[in-house]
Amino acid sequence: AQSVTQLDSQVPVFEEAPVELRCNYSSSVSVYLFWYVQYPNQGLQLLLKYLSGSTLVKGINGFEAEFNKSQTSFHLRKPSVHISDTAEYFCAVSEVDSSYKLIFGSGTRLLVRP
Amino acid sequence: EADIYQTPRYLVIGTGKKITLECSQTMGHDKMYWYQQDPGMELHLIHYSYGVNSTEKGDLSSESTVSRIRTEHFPLTLESARPSHTSQYLCASSDQNRGSFFGQGTRLTVV
């Protein structure tokens, strides 16, 4: 079975500062990794994904993440955040099979202050 | 942009009523899912489908049922709503190469 840990429930940061949202996972099999963003009263939007290949993945809105297999981590980063980045961010994994069923972390609320 | 739609967006209903949450996608995806999300919490898979006439229960036990008669349609039904069913329900479909796409969700309140 897989599990996902997002240790930071909330990350406050000032506008234009860099940010890192941490994600660690546990799995006995190979996994795909995802980051989703959820704005208030909305569904989830895919930010980026790691399926295979290069461990540095670039996504939408200037976000990127790096897959570290030895540390079982998939941290999300952005060099300069905007007020509009304030949202809930979810890390998720799925087994490398055909199901694409997602296991989610508990989420990290990014709060960008002016 | 993903083309996956959920209706209604918000629903307030009395205890004991039967409800159906609608989910449709126009992308031709075979795989579809229902996730449940309580306020401020992570999402949990409650149902999924690999294609027409295929439905499976997810990791989180749910009293709801689903059907998949058409590829594009994956409705979720609660035969008798209870306050414990109050939650947000998110529908998703997946493409093997691009991951899962989510609808905007249905926020259900049972009073």
Side-chain angles (χ1 to χ4, degrees):
Chain A
Q2 300 86 43
S3 66
V4 179
T5 301
Q6 293 181 249
L7 286 173
D8 304 308
S9 59
Q10 182 165 302
V11 173
V13 63
F14 288 108
E15 192 174 19
E16 297 184 6
V19 71
E20 178 180 83
L21 306 184
R22 296 181 294 168
C23 173
N24 288 89
Y25 69 93
S26 172
S27 177
S28 58
V29 300
S30 297
V31 295
Y32 299 132
L33 296 150
F34 307 85
W35 274 100
Y36 285 86
V37 60
Q38 185 177 35
Y39 299 102
N41 300 316
Q42 297 291 321
L44 274 69
Q45 182 181 9
L46 180 65
L47 276 177
L48 48 78
K49 62 185 183 295
Y50 173 79
L51 303 181
S52 65
S54 173
T55 57
L56 182 62
V57 180
K58 293 189 182 298
I60 63 171
N61 301 341
F63 285 94
E64 65 179 32
E66 185 156 20
F67 170 52
N68 187 319
K69 188 174 182 179
S70 62
Q71 296 185 5
T72 60
S73 67
F74 191 55
H75 301 331
L76 181 71
R77 302 185 185 99
K78 186 169 183 178
S80 175
V81 295
H82 302 289
I83 296 288
S84 60
D85 291 323
T86 294
E88 192 84 20
Y89 291 79
F90 290 95
C91 181
V93 302
S94 70
E95 272 189 39
V96 178
D97 61 8
S98 60
S99 75
Y100 278 81
K101 295 182 288 181
L102 294 168
I103 306 294
F104 284 89
S106 56
T108 297
R109 176 158 180 76
L110 176 62
L111 181 59
V112 182
R113 296 166 172 163
Chain B
E1 286 295 321
D3 297 320
I4 181 163
Y5 307 101
Q6 290 186 244
T7 57
R9 289 291 314 278
Y10 303 93
L11 178 62
V12 181
I13 200 163
T15 298
K17 299 291 186 183
K18 177 180 179 179
I19 58 170
T20 296
L21 308 185
E22 302 287 350
C23 176
S24 295
Q25 51 100 1
T26 59
M27 297 172 283
H29 291 166
D30 287 328
K31 298 178 182 64
M32 295 189 73
Y33 316 83
W34 277 101
Y35 292 87
Q36 183 174 341
Q37 182 184 30
D38 290 328
M41 303 293 286
E42 65 265 45
L43 289 78
H44 292 283
L45 180 69
I46 53 174
H47 298 284
Y48 62 99
S49 168
Y50 287 148
V52 171
N53 294 325
S54 153
T55 61
E56 301 286 344
K57 288 192 177 295
D59 303 321
L60 181 67
S61 175
S62 174
E63 294 169 346
S64 58
T65 59
V66 293
S67 62
R68 189 88 183 276
I69 299 173
R70 304 197 313 269
T71 297
E72 63 271 21
H73 195 213
F74 191 41
L76 181 147
T77 298
L78 276 165
E79 291 292 333
S80 179
R82 295 207 300 268
S84 60
H85 297 140
T86 294
S87 189
Q88 176 159 249
Y89 295 84
L90 289 155
C91 180
S93 68
S94 73
D95 175 290
Q96 182 171 343
N97 294 321
R98 295 192 296 158
S100 289
F101 297 94
F102 283 79
Q104 291 197 313
T106 294
R107 189 171 295 279
L108 172 66
T109 302
V110 184
V111 297

